[in-house]
Amino acid sequence: MSADPSRVLVVGGGIGGLTAAIALRQGGHSVELVEIREDWAVTGWGLSLTGPALRALDTLGLADRLIDLGYGITTIANCDSDGNLIAEVELPGLLGPGRPAQAGIARSELTRVLRDSAASHGAVLRTALTVAQTVENGTSVTAVLSDGTTRDVDLVVVADGAGSKTRELLGIDVTPAYTGQMVWRAVVPRPAWADRLFTFFGPGDNAGLIPISAAYAYCFLTENLPTPDVLPDDELADRMRERLRPFGGRVAEVRESIRKPEDVVRRAVNTVLAELPWNAGRVVLVGDAAHTPSPQLVSGAALAVEDAVVLAEELARTPDVLEALDAFGRRRHDRAALVVEASRRVARLEQAGQQTEVPGLLGRTHGALAAAI
């Protein structure tokens, strides 16, 4: 427990915000979390919790529960468009014998577990609210919420995503950068052969499959597109099947199960990397608000959970909030930069048709991320 418990307001109820609420409550701080959405809706169908993510979640007592709800993964199989193996990447196991290196999981399940954990630890969770303004008071900060009410707190943790509106209020100048790619995701029944993370390098687009439970997986497709666009929702399933047409073998099998437009999401791939400092006074950025990699590294969630753990550690280490925030940023920046820059490099390699260089880059990056935080 912190030697000097603080009053903390967390902005954003995604992975970063909820794990921050859990870690800070475990550290003895008073926590209120505000989320602008009314229904805790999540975007996308699934994600992969990498070894570093599971290691950080293990310190919060959540790793095994999430592994049980998801699907354990130990390797990445990188294949050509017909499913022939090019290279296999053995993932670093960070939880010890008998536990997987990664876990695929439905986003809805992950969010539910994190929300329930935050509430059970005593965090106050409120929806349909966000921060409209913050005013520094020397030894505290006043947050004006979107409903006109105010909170006088010791710290505001900003976890409202890559397009963070609160970041703009702080004057931290960083604009999400489009990578030249769109990502498609569709939930599908899990084929019996999908017992690991698969990637398939096509002649133009790249695809993959990640199991998220015994019954389901999600198929992803990375589309190279110079300028992002928006397609009609009712066309998404048909359009995704068409984009997967150049792939044979296992992808062709999965392709035909993509039939419902509501099972498909398509988003522009943007990256964010804020330079230090990540705080303006007693207001600090965490998770995607500070650093957003592209999805090829499957490490956005890991960085967000690690941020929560490290922030709680630094607040426990020193009673001076500003010193703690400075130490937090210095511990986290280079690691986040490694992931964001590697993900940008992957996007450039894919766009240049140099996919055979991607497995080595992924392996080196995941190896580096196995180091202690």
Side-chain angles (χ1 to χ4, degrees), residues 6 32 38 54 57 78 99 120 132 207 222 238 245 254 276 287 300 358:
S6 300
E32 180 179 5
E38 294 187 28
L54 292 176
L57 287 162
N78 296 292
R99 300 166 85 188
S120 69
T222 305
D238 292 342
R245 195 73 57 190
V254 171
L276 294 178
V358 170

Side-chain angles (χ1 to χ4, degrees), residues 84-356:
N84 301 306
L85 185 66
I86 297 173
E88 194 164 49
V89 177
E90 190 75 21
L91 297 165
L94 305 184
L95 296 184
R99 300 166 85 188
Q102 291 190 9
I105 190 168
R107 284 181 178 268
S108 58
E109 291 278 42
L110 174 61
T111 299
R112 178 180 60 80
V113 169
L114 295 179
R115 189 170 67 245
D116 291 348
S117 179
S120 69
H121 280 89
V124 176
L125 309 179
R126 303 189 193 281
T127 58
L129 278 178
T130 189
V131 166
Q133 183 183 6
T134 61
V135 180
E136 293 283 333
N137 303 315
T139 58
S140 66
V141 58
T142 298
V144 181
L145 302 188
S146 52
D147 65 354
T149 61
T150 61
R151 304 290 190 272
D152 291 315
V153 295
D154 301 293
L155 173 65
V156 177
V157 178
V158 177
D160 56 351
S164 172
K165 300 299 183 184
T166 315
R167 185 178 62 216
E168 296 177 14
L169 296 176
L170 302 178
I172 296 177
D173 186 18
V174 57
T175 302
Y178 177 59
T179 64
Q181 294 182 315
M182 306 289 292
V183 64
W184 300 67
R185 295 186 179 93
V187 64
V188 296
R190 185 185 70 85
W193 50 263
D195 59 354
R196 65 201 71 186
L197 193 163
F198 281 86
T199 66
F200 303 93
F201 300 138
D205 300 340
N206 298 300
L209 192 74
I210 299 179
I212 58 174
S213 71
Y216 293 100
Y218 79 88
C219 177
F220 64 87
L221 173 76
T222 305
E223 171 191 1
N224 296 319
L225 193 68
T227 304
D229 64 5
V230 178
L231 298 176
D233 288 346
D234 61 359
E235 297 180 9
L236 289 178
D238 292 342
R239 296 275 196 125
M240 187 171 183
R241 288 200 313 280
E242 188 59 34
R243 293 212 71 91
L244 289 169
R245 195 73 57 190
F247 296 85
R250 288 171 166 173
V251 178
E253 174 190 340
V254 171
R255 178 184 66 222
E256 295 311 308
S257 66
I258 302 172
R259 292 291 169 179
K260 298 178 181 178
E262 61 268 26
D263 288 344
V264 181
V265 292
R266 178 178 182 264
R267 297 286 185 270
V269 178
N270 295 302
T271 62
V272 168
L273 181 60
E275 293 305 317
L276 294 178
W278 285 352
N279 66 297
R282 291 168 173 267
V283 186
V284 65
L285 305 179
V286 301
D288 281 353
H291 43 69
T292 310
S294 68
Q296 289 94 331
L297 266 292
V298 293
S299 292
L303 290 179
V305 181
E306 288 182 346
D307 279 356
V309 171
V310 172
L311 179 60
E313 287 178 354
E314 293 301 333
L315 288 168
R317 205 183 309 275
T318 174
D320 187 304
V321 170
L322 296 180
E323 286 184 15
L325 297 185
D326 180 66
F328 163 75
R330 286 186 283 106
R331 277 183 67 182
R332 297 301 296 151
H333 179 273
D334 290 353
R335 188 174 176 90
L338 170 70
V339 177
V340 173
E341 290 166 4
S343 76
R344 290 170 175 170
R345 174 67 175 154
V346 169
R348 292 193 295 269
L349 288 171
E350 290 179 346
Q351 290 166 316
Q354 298 174 325
Q355 291 97 326
T356 56

